[in-house]
Amino acid sequence: MKARLMGAAVLFTCPVAGHAETIDAILFSDSGGLAAHSVRIDAGETVQGAAGQTALRLNPRDGGWRGGLASFRLKVRPDALTYLTIRLWGGEASSGRLVLLCDGKQVGDAHLGGLEQLDIGAVAPQFPGAFFYRTLLLPAAVTKGRQTVDCAIEATGNIWPYGLAFDRFQRAMTAPSRGVYGLFTHDGAYFDPPAGIDDGKLAVAGKRPGPGRIGPKMAGAETLSAIRQRIEGTVRGLLTATRPLGQHEIVFLARFRLKSWSPLAKDPRIVPAILKGMDGFAVAYAADPMVVRNEKSTWNPDWFGFGPLGQTLVLGQDVLKPFLDEEIGWRSGTRAPRRVAYLEMLTASRDWFRQHRRLYANQSMIVDTFGLYLANRGIGVLDPAKALPEDQARRYLYEAIGIEPWRGADLPDGKPSYAQSLSSNGTAVPVVGTDFRTVTRMGLTRELGYVGHYGEVLDWVSWAYDATRPTFDAPGDPKILARLSALARARGVFRYPAADDEGFAAMRMMTDIGWRDPKSPGAVTYLQDLRPGAASPFQAAVLTRDPTLIGYAQQMIADNQLWGPIRAQMQDKSFRSTYGLLDVIDDFAAMISVPDQAAKLPMSVSAPDFAFADPENGVVTIKRGEERVFASLYWRANMGINGLARVWTSGPRGHRIATVAVDTAFTPSGSTWVRPDKVALMYNDAINKAYGRSSAEAGSSLPIAAAPAGVKVTPGRDSFYAGRGDRYVLNYGGYTVVMNMSDSKPATFVVPPHDGSELVSGRAMPAGGRVRLEPLSSMIFFKSN
């Protein structure tokens, strides 16, 4: 895109994508074509695959992480963009990966790169009954000045992204790869398969068998009984445990004590068990104050501080207060009242997390709710004079969920740092501007773009709301409740019709365009996702009583997709999963009495066409007839302007997941980032050395965009601003997306040729006319062939 980055407004044109021309093709059913492309297969073979078509399948080798390899030669464009597309069967799940090598160098990063590996596998069938296409833009260093390139596809095991050593990060390959049915190079982003290729049709079995209604006698009664038995069994185990209880186990008892559906909630052993557990933490903190920074009994040791203990005091204040002035053994053989011991550790938690906050939205919500706010609520139970005033404490929650700008860690003088943590001398370098919010105006969490799994924060926002209740049954903060409703509605746009793991009709969460999503497809999700430690799928609907959210929950019930995910979660026998089941019975009871609502998820089959755009996150969604489109224009550009977008499309024209070029205008900072020779960019040298190969992107230079005044961008470190452009134009499959991501600069653009109206607003806009694009706004057009 050509643009003048001067003045209050610019004029730019929207190039119209021409027909993509296929440069070269390898079909594994064509033996002559295999020879012509110098195809050699090591530890693999061609087999009869899906729909009777021939596929390349690569096999494991000796239990290692590397599997078979197929080498070949493909034609490319020497002086223009070249894309490589592979054809895969959408009905196949695979735990392995396919890695592209060109001239022996790896194309794509092992984890969360702008260019990722050729195929990252699938936890469930992505498009059952049909073939689909994955497209990757080849780096210029691979194709520039060349007519052909020698490449290879190597099969590998999957990765575990939290592993910090190679044998934990890179898993062994234990099963044959999924089949590759064709390889193509082409010069346009949107790949049209050659004539005569039958890609099949999505096969969805229809509604899962069941009553499709909610009531006390429905099929889930056995599941509810099993949940109750599991919870009560866990409680009995905690009451008789000889080991110290963890923080989540202690607050689990405190929450269970308030459940009216179980006689065990009145067990007289619960309060002594809670006190014993809290006493143990007081002693542990006295012996080692550093435990507040790394409390290993919590899900994430450096996120919760002593917040769960503060929550326990709030929930149990009616029964715990009489015991707070009793003395306990404490520091170095001394004794002290519980009130004194508890107060010291909770104060340490609150003050540590005031100076060590988190910027990613989901992490900010957890840290600020538990380590900071709930610790302060506990202090208020122990000594109200020592607690921060409620308005001062609550502003951390407001910042975490985007009601107020995020101000970062507190400096010693009380001023905001706009940074996550203070240095040892109490200083910090701002990493965001003074008006940065963790949630966009459209209601999505703002990280480095749209996120799928980690963007599912409805449980955390719900717990932030619950944290503000004066007592467990009193209303909480209305601002947070309204925010919960807005976030839940926004997430609803990112559910799409798909088959569940057994082939029945369902709605799935979109993850294929997510910045921090290494798994495809997303989980079956309607209102809220179920995962270990999360809450019931009704939580946001029960709290808000928002008719739209109730409609989403009722749609899950009507599709008979309620009990399957819950039973699947119950297969995980961990305490964390039990913790997440604690409110299911109450929320189910609340949903029984709710009237039917008409609202359905926007991408549902029967829903009207629409287009949604969030310029702060650089993301769009489109429903046009039977076709659905999700695109991230601001795609994993955390180091610099990379000119890449990610697009997912599904409909009558086929199914595609593509990483493509996007025209980007930006304000340069004058700095650049040079890609190091790493194939796992985010990971240490030992992991990269173990791979024993170079990156095809090594040495490439990305310009760094200008950041807000006062914000420092360090080349090579994640930044919200390094790769953030002002304006984007994406052309893909007849769609033209025009997005102004600047929060201050308007722009004028020339309307491209299109059918009918602009899709977001529905307004008629004649092609060739000039239209003003306001800051943080988008327009989407479609042109049929």
Side-chain angles (χ1 to χ4, degrees):
M1 175 175 65
K2 297 181 179 178
R4 293 186 304 152
L5 302 177
M6 296 165 50
V10 299
L11 172 66
F12 62 98
T13 59
C14 305
V16 178
H19 177 72
E21 181 180 341
T22 299
I23 303 169
D24 205 354
I26 299 175
L27 297 176
F28 289 96
S29 58
D30 178 8
S31 58
L34 299 185
H37 289 87
S38 302
V39 174
R40 296 183 59 185
I41 302 172
D42 183 15
E45 62 266 326
T46 57
V47 298
Q48 182 173 330
Q53 299 186 30
T54 303
L56 165 70
R57 199 175 296 278
L58 300 170
N59 298 321
R61 297 179 193 254
D62 303 324
W65 64 272
R66 301 176 71 170
L69 181 143
S71 60
F72 47 88
R73 179 172 296 160
L74 280 171
K75 296 176 183 177
V76 297
R77 290 281 190 260
D79 54 2
L81 297 180
T82 300
Y83 293 90
L84 186 142
T85 289
I86 59 172
R87 183 172 184 253
L88 302 168
W89 175 241
E92 187 172 14
S94 173
S95 62
R97 294 184 163 215
L98 298 173
V99 180
L100 177 65
L101 305 172
C102 292
D103 296 324
K105 297 181 179 181
Q106 179 169 314
V107 176
D109 199 85
H111 183 54
L112 303 187
L115 293 178
E116 63 185 8
Q117 291 176 341
L118 190 59
D119 179 49
I120 62 172
V123 296
Q126 294 156 294
F127 304 99
F131 290 91
F132 76 104
Y133 298 90
R134 287 188 65 99
T135 295
L136 186 68
L137 176 64
L138 293 177
V142 171
T143 62
K144 187 175 181 180
R146 304 180 66 175
Q147 300 285 346
T148 62
V149 178
D150 290 325
C151 297
I153 294 176
E154 182 176 57
T156 74
N158 210 343
I159 65 164
W160 186 58
Y162 302 107
L164 299 180
F166 185 77
D167 60 352
R168 289 177 60 78
F169 174 72
Q170 177 62 66
R171 299 302 175 88
M173 184 179 177
T174 58
S177 73
R178 64 169 163 185
V180 178
Y181 291 81
L183 292 166
F184 311 88
T185 53
H186 45 103
D187 59 5
Y190 186 85
F191 175 68
D192 275 319
I197 290 184
D198 180 8
D199 283 333
K201 185 178 181 180
L202 281 181
V204 180
K207 189 173 77 170
R208 177 177 286 280
R213 57 180 296 273
I214 190 165
K217 296 182 179 180
M218 70 177 294
E222 292 182 2
T223 302
L224 290 174
S225 177
I227 290 173
R228 175 176 169 173
Q229 292 177 29
R230 174 167 171 168
I231 290 171
E232 291 178 335
T234 299
V235 170
R236 293 187 181 95
L238 295 177
L239 294 179
T240 57
T242 56
R243 59 170 178 79
L245 299 185
Q247 281 198 82
H248 289 309
E249 293 173 325
I250 294 169
V251 77
F252 180 84
L253 290 176
R255 292 175 60 202
F256 174 77
R257 191 183 67 85
L258 304 173
K259 299 300 182 184
S260 60
W261 43 261
S262 175
L264 186 61
K266 305 300 182 184
D267 194 301
R269 296 173 294 173
I270 291 179
V271 170
I274 289 172
L275 290 168
K276 180 180 178 181
M278 294 184 70
D279 292 349
F281 276 102
V283 172
Y285 172 76
D288 180 14
M290 296 294 287
V291 72
V292 70
R293 309 179 191 182
N294 189 32
E295 206 295 272
K296 294 183 179 180
S297 80
T298 60
W299 319 140
N300 293 79
D302 55 343
W303 289 8
F304 287 87
F306 290 128
L309 300 184
Q311 184 182 17
T312 299
L313 285 170
V314 174
L315 293 174
Q317 53 189 302
D318 58 326
V319 295
L320 297 179
K321 279 186 176 180
F323 301 96
L324 295 179
D325 291 314
E326 290 182 351
E327 289 192 344
I328 61 171
W330 190 37
R331 178 178 283 122
S332 302
T334 65
R335 298 182 65 80
R338 284 193 175 95
R339 189 182 305 274
V340 172
Y342 293 0
L343 182 64
E344 183 172 325
M345 66 176 173
L346 289 176
T347 301
S349 178
R350 179 195 66 190
D351 293 348
W352 168 257
F353 285 103
R354 288 178 69 187
Q355 296 189 350
H356 297 82
R357 299 182 71 192
R358 294 272 178 159
L359 182 51
Y360 280 14
N362 68 312
Q363 298 177 14
S364 182
M365 294 172 188
I366 300 168
V367 166
D368 289 348
T369 299
F370 287 88
L372 201 164
Y373 180 80
L374 277 169
N376 190 70
R377 285 290 312 273
I379 293 170
V381 173
L382 299 168
D383 187 347
K386 299 290 178 62
L388 292 174
E390 184 61 19
D391 61 336
Q392 293 183 29
R394 202 167 290 190
R395 70 98 169 165
Y396 295 101
L397 298 183
Y398 289 169
E399 293 178 24
I401 62 177
I403 294 174
E404 294 182 4
W406 190 83
R407 287 177 268 188
D410 295 343
L411 293 168
D413 60 4
K415 293 181 180 180
S417 67
Y418 302 102
Q420 296 190 84
S421 300
L422 303 187
S423 62
S424 58
N425 62 4
T427 62
V429 176
V431 294
V432 294
T434 58
D435 194 33
F436 180 88
R437 295 180 188 248
T438 61
V439 175
T440 69
R441 291 163 178 82
M442 300 302 294
L444 298 177
T445 56
R446 182 179 174 186
E447 299 189 6
L448 297 171
Y450 166 80
V451 283
H453 175 76
Y454 287 106
E456 295 292 323
V457 297
L458 302 185
D459 50 345
W460 300 117
V461 179
S462 296
W463 285 326
Y465 171 76
D466 282 340
T468 65
R469 296 177 187 267
T471 58
F472 80 93
D473 55 353
D477 189 297
K479 292 182 181 179
I480 297 178
L481 195 63
R483 195 59 157 176
L484 173 61
S485 180
L487 266 67
R489 286 171 176 249
R491 293 304 296 187
V493 177
F494 292 88
R495 317 300 192 218
Y496 66 95
D500 67 12
D501 291 1
E502 297 174 62
F504 294 105
M507 301 295 285
R508 284 192 182 271
M509 175 204 317
M510 170 47 58
T511 60
D512 285 292
I513 64 162
W515 275 64
R516 289 203 284 156
D517 291 278
K519 293 182 180 180
S520 175
V524 170
T525 309
Y526 287 74
L527 176 58
Q528 288 177 243
D529 66 326
L530 278 171
R531 60 183 186 273
S536 84
F538 301 137
Q539 184 184 36
V542 169
L543 287 177
T544 65
R545 300 296 170 134
D546 182 326
T548 297
L549 306 188
I550 291 170
Y552 294 172
Q554 290 174 338
Q555 182 179 352
M556 171 183 60
I557 296 163
D559 286 352
N560 292 316
Q561 290 292 346
L562 168 61
W563 302 113
I566 289 179
R567 286 192 293 268
Q569 181 181 348
M570 292 180 69
Q571 296 302 308
D572 183 339
K573 303 301 182 182
S574 69
F575 170 75
R576 186 170 181 175
S577 285
T578 307
Y579 186 95
L581 294 168
L582 187 56
D583 291 329
V584 169
I585 296 173
D586 288 330
D587 288 354
F588 174 83
M591 287 294 295
I592 290 175
S593 61
V594 175
D596 289 345
Q597 301 296 327
K600 296 290 187 292
L601 288 160
M603 287 283 183
S604 300
V605 173
S606 60
D609 290 356
F610 78 98
F612 166 93
D614 186 341
E616 287 179 277
N617 266 353
V619 64
V620 300
T621 68
I622 304 165
K623 180 182 185 294
R624 191 184 59 82
E626 297 179 49
E627 185 165 79
R628 290 162 181 82
V629 180
F630 296 88
S632 176
L633 280 65
Y634 170 49
W635 173 245
R636 293 182 178 169
N638 48 329
M639 301 298 181
I641 299 290
N642 63 12
L644 296 174
R646 177 61 159 251
V647 191
W648 181 101
T649 64
S650 179
R653 297 191 293 166
H655 317 284
R656 295 164 178 82
I657 304 172
T659 303
V660 303
V662 60
D663 289 308
T664 309
F666 65 97
T667 304
S669 67
S671 298
T672 59
W673 172 70
V674 178
R675 164 92 187 205
D677 192 4
K678 289 185 173 184
V679 295
L681 182 62
M682 299 169 58
Y683 293 86
N684 57 49
D685 290 341
I687 288 177
N688 280 276
K689 184 177 180 180
Y691 276 114
R693 59 173 57 135
S694 290
S695 167
E697 300 172 77
S700 59
S701 179
L702 299 185
I704 295 176
V711 175
K712 181 177 177 58
V713 174
T714 302
R717 292 187 180 179
D718 277 351
S719 167
F720 283 83
Y721 309 107
R724 186 180 181 85
D726 295 320
R727 285 166 298 283
Y728 292 78
V729 177
L730 171 68
N731 284 287
Y732 188 82
Y735 295 97
T736 299
V737 181
V738 189
M739 180 174 285
N740 187 354
M741 286 180 64
S742 170
D743 58 7
S744 61
K745 304 172 189 175
T748 302
F749 73 95
V750 178
V751 177
H754 64 284
D755 300 341
S757 304
E758 191 274 320
L759 300 184
V760 178
S761 66
R763 290 185 296 154
M765 293 185 183
R770 294 189 177 188
V771 177
R772 179 183 171 94
L773 193 64
E774 299 296 336
L776 296 178
S777 64
S778 306
M779 293 185 183
I780 304 172
F781 304 90
F782 178 75
K783 180 71 170 68
S784 58
N785 293 332

